[in-house]
Amino acid sequence: MAMRRGVPRLVPPRRAPGGGRSVPRSLRFGASRLLVALQRVSATLEQATDAEIAAWAALVGLTAGEGLGFNRAFLLLADGDQLTGWLAVGPRDRAEAAVVWADLRHRPADPFARLAAVDPAVIAAERARHAATLERLGFAGPEACNTAHRAFIGRSQHPNPCVRHWVAVLESEALAVFPMLEPGRVGGVVLADNFVTRAVVSPARLEAGATIVHALHGALERTRLLRRLQDEHRRRLVAEHSTALLEAARTLAHDVKNPLAVAGGVARELLSSPETYREVLPRQLGVIASAIGRAEHRLATLVEELASRTETVAAVPLDVGPVIGRVVDAFRPLAETGRVEVAVIRPPGPAVAIADPMLLERCVENLLGNCLQTLCETGTPEPAVRVAVVPGETHVAVEVANNGPPLPPALRDDPFAGGVTTHRAGSGLGLLSVRRLAESMGGHVICEDDPSGWVRFVLRLRRAP
Amino acid sequence: MSKPCLLFVDDEEELLNLYRSAFSREGYEVLTAADLASARDLLAGTEVAAVVLDIKLAEGSGLELLREIKAGRPHLPVVLSTAFARYQDDFSSWLADAYVVKSSDLAELKATVQRCLGPTP
């Protein structure tokens, strides 16, 4: 089996597979170690804004030797009227376990160090490796599983058909079942066992597992809510854009097509009956020329408006500070979820710039959201964002800085060019949008190195006279 | 036999002149209105055979007049003639007897009016 990089320690090898060699006392499972593991996994789950990250953290917590030490763990989630295998961690069989654990003994690493910043490719590879088992674990009619409210150990004779099915698929002698109950249904279930070591699952470990799964359930609920909010936001923007485009099309049709219809129609009339119009020919030619002139003028205006989008920009003298305050306040719940410290630095007096309040809000939303997402996805220690309003002689600057990693090479040359994203499910258009909005207000945006090593975006707006 | 009377409603004055020339030569009596108020006055005082109505007017929407006409005189044919084809998606426009997208070629409009009125005058 090809070994995967970044895969955490899978099991506390109290006894190496095949028996015989025991592991050092320092690696053995203990109450304090269990507590530390619970704290570290719970911290990751509390901050997780991505379902895969949350699921990965929980399953690693269950299987890592430094965690609960199960040999393997599976997550099944309710999908319509069935429970579907979603993610798994651990070896698939004894032979694989021997290889993986031997490898991990030679490459000791802290499996919890980068739980929140795990490479999505690692999760995808683990899911693909277990795809066949995950598919077989699926169970139609999850209401049949809605009988247990606490974690328990299931065996082949268990009265619940779900449990018998899972025990059979996994050929497990003692399967720890951690249900994730929602009102009236099972939202999901985590299964774990010691199919290689056959270690007995103690009540303490079962309870600790239930704690992790409970935290996972909360994290999954939160990520679903965040996803819904993001989808809603995206739909609103699309609707706004569609409305604006429709209005532009209507205007184009009315203001340009009408005079062209006049010019063409009159010309056709002249051609169809030249004798009738002989006496009024100069006037009719004048009508044609005038109509074409109007169409040309209106088309030029519309093109200019579309290009610069100035028609929709109501740039007015505006005290930037309160606008920034509103945006930051709106983002505080998300920042708190990710344990990101957000500081706002405002001048004592007003900082009045020429700006459109709505577009300015959107620019700062984009920059701030970008920073928070980066910090949460990269697992930056002590993550922090600083938003500052800095009045200058000719400009008012809005600085949004974060202490996350520097921009990746693909973004360094021109972060605002668009088409490159470092975020999961990112469009790569956020910073491009900021540039366009800034320019439509007569300002500009840059990214510069902060002396403290932070990544700093600076939006400069014209200072009001 | 009197000529059928057509009422054209459009805020584009030169377009109304064009309609007047083109449809007069086709044998129709032509009335024109550049706004909704003028159109309402003409409809109240004249027996028109059909109305050719623009939707986007300088002051108001032709769809408003369409609803009024169909409420009071449901059998009076109304042809919507507009530069923007997508107004057909508006439910209100479905009250009209026909929908023509404006063009410098009046052939389609002429044919549509004729179809709404029946035999050639």
Side-chain angles (χ1 to χ4, degrees):
Chain A
M1 185 193 75
M3 296 305 302
R4 302 166 323 286
R5 295 187 66 78
V7 172
R9 189 178 301 249
L10 295 170
V11 69
R14 289 180 167 188
R15 191 179 58 202
R21 199 176 124 199
S22 61
V23 297
R25 176 173 290 275
S26 62
L27 288 180
R28 287 191 182 171
F29 204 74
S32 60
R33 183 183 293 277
L34 179 60
L35 192 59
V36 170
L38 278 178
Q39 284 172 339
R40 296 180 72 181
V41 173
S42 297
T44 303
L45 289 172
E46 280 175 22
Q47 295 173 25
T49 54
D50 180 285
E52 279 196 337
I53 297 279
W56 177 260
L59 297 191
V60 168
L62 288 168
T63 54
E66 293 80 353
L68 271 64
F70 282 101
N71 292 178
R72 59 182 176 176
F74 301 83
L75 169 63
L76 283 67
L77 291 177
D79 180 10
D81 59 354
Q82 78 165 36
L83 280 169
T84 304
W86 205 67
L87 189 62
V89 166
R92 287 175 297 187
D93 51 43
R94 287 172 169 275
E96 199 169 282
V99 175
V100 172
W101 294 340
D103 178 65
L104 288 171
R105 260 188 217 99
H106 291 105
R107 289 192 299 115
D110 179 2
F112 301 135
R114 289 179 59 79
L115 273 186
V118 64
D119 183 350
V122 171
I123 299 179
E126 195 70 353
R127 177 178 276 139
R129 214 165 57 80
H130 286 284
T133 309
L134 286 171
E135 179 155 3
R136 286 166 56 216
L137 283 172
F139 192 89
E143 67 278 1
C145 312
N146 192 12
T147 55
H149 296 269
R150 298 172 63 92
F152 62 91
I153 300 296
R155 300 178 200 280
S156 59
Q157 300 302 315
H158 196 277
N160 190 310
C162 301
V163 179
R164 289 201 302 277
H165 170 70
W166 295 326
V167 167
V169 169
L170 297 174
E171 297 176 9
S172 182
E173 292 176 2
L175 184 65
V177 180
F178 303 97
M180 294 194 286
L181 295 177
E182 293 170 1
R185 69 168 201 154
V186 176
V189 66
V190 172
L191 309 172
D193 71 1
N194 295 321
F195 77 118
V196 177
T197 59
R198 294 182 175 168
V200 173
V201 180
S202 67
R205 202 180 299 189
L206 195 63
E207 193 175 341
T211 303
I212 287 178
V213 172
H214 181 72
L216 167 63
H217 194 191
L220 292 176
E221 283 288 300
R222 193 174 58 251
T223 57
R224 276 189 214 121
L225 177 64
L226 279 173
R227 178 59 58 90
R228 275 205 298 276
L229 289 172
Q230 285 167 349
D231 288 347
E232 187 61 36
H233 182 62
R234 208 169 288 132
R235 275 197 295 274
R236 188 167 58 81
L237 286 181
V238 168
E240 282 176 8
H241 291 166
S242 301
T243 305
L245 282 175
L246 195 62
E247 193 48 44
R250 280 184 183 142
T251 306
L252 199 64
H254 181 266
D255 294 4
V256 177
K257 200 168 178 183
N258 268 357
L260 288 178
V262 169
V266 172
R268 283 170 188 271
E269 280 291 294
L270 291 176
L271 285 170
S272 67
S273 182
E275 291 303 318
T276 310
Y277 294 105
R278 184 176 297 279
E279 288 184 7
V280 291
L281 184 61
R283 185 194 174 276
Q284 296 297 73
L285 289 175
V287 169
I288 293 172
S290 166
I292 291 175
R294 275 191 295 136
E296 275 182 339
H297 175 71
R298 192 66 184 111
L299 187 60
T301 311
L302 285 168
V303 167
E304 181 59 28
E305 285 172 0
L306 283 173
S308 66
R309 300 185 179 187
T310 51
E311 191 180 48
T312 56
V313 176
V316 293
L318 180 75
D319 185 6
V320 173
V323 177
I324 304 308
R326 279 200 302 276
V327 175
V328 172
D329 285 346
F331 272 85
R332 281 204 190 280
L334 184 62
E336 283 166 11
T337 301
R339 302 275 170 84
V340 179
E341 188 183 324
V342 179
V344 180
I345 302 165
R346 286 165 58 176
V352 183
I354 302 294
D356 177 311
M358 199 175 75
L359 299 192
L360 176 58
E361 279 188 12
R362 195 158 294 163
C363 283
V364 182
E365 278 173 9
N366 227 319
L367 293 173
L368 188 52
N370 201 42
C371 286
L372 291 175
Q373 200 171 355
T374 298
L375 293 171
C376 289
E377 288 183 359
T378 55
T380 302
E382 297 180 18
V385 172
R386 189 177 62 232
V387 183
V389 179
V390 185
E393 279 188 21
T394 57
H395 285 82
V396 174
V398 178
E399 299 179 357
V400 182
N402 72 80
N403 66 344
L407 290 179
L411 279 176
R412 231 167 259 160
D413 283 347
D414 185 359
F416 305 97
V420 179
T421 183
T422 59
H423 301 306
R424 286 161 166 264
S427 66
L429 297 176
L431 291 176
L432 173 62
S433 168
V434 172
R435 167 183 276 170
R436 287 187 173 160
L437 294 175
E439 289 175 353
S440 74
M441 293 186 284
H444 63 274
V445 62
I446 57 169
C447 180
E448 58 188 21
D449 292 329
D450 186 285
S452 58
W454 289 32
V455 177
R456 183 169 61 181
F457 294 92
V458 183
L459 170 65
R460 286 207 176 90
L461 299 165
R462 289 170 293 158
R463 184 165 188 158
Chain B
M1 186 177 149
S2 63
K3 298 174 184 175
C5 179
L6 303 179
L7 170 61
F8 290 86
V9 185
D10 201 302
D11 60 351
E12 184 80 38
E13 195 63 45
E14 292 299 346
L15 208 49
L16 291 176
N17 290 337
L18 174 63
Y19 290 148
R20 193 176 295 115
S21 303
F23 280 82
S24 296
R25 287 205 299 119
E26 295 286 318
Y28 295 101
E29 184 183 341
V30 175
L31 298 175
T32 60
D35 54 52
L36 293 175
S38 307
R40 286 187 186 108
D41 288 346
L42 288 169
L43 280 167
T46 322
E47 194 60 36
V48 300
V51 179
V52 177
L53 181 59
D54 189 12
I55 292 179
K56 189 171 164 62
L57 300 170
E59 295 172 0
S61 165
L63 295 175
E64 189 185 327
L65 184 60
L66 171 64
R67 280 193 293 273
E68 288 173 24
I69 293 172
K70 287 299 176 184
R73 298 163 70 179
H75 300 298
L76 174 61
V78 179
V79 178
L80 287 177
S81 170
T82 182
F84 188 56
R86 295 287 292 275
Y87 279 123
Q88 286 176 95
D89 298 341
D90 188 321
F91 290 128
S92 307
S93 74
W94 296 3
L95 285 171
D97 296 82
Y99 193 105
V100 176
V101 178
K102 276 183 189 171
S103 164
S104 61
D105 185 351
L106 298 180
E108 187 189 357
L109 182 59
K110 287 176 181 173
T112 304
V113 168
Q114 196 171 325
R115 194 176 64 244
C116 287
L117 292 177
T120 310

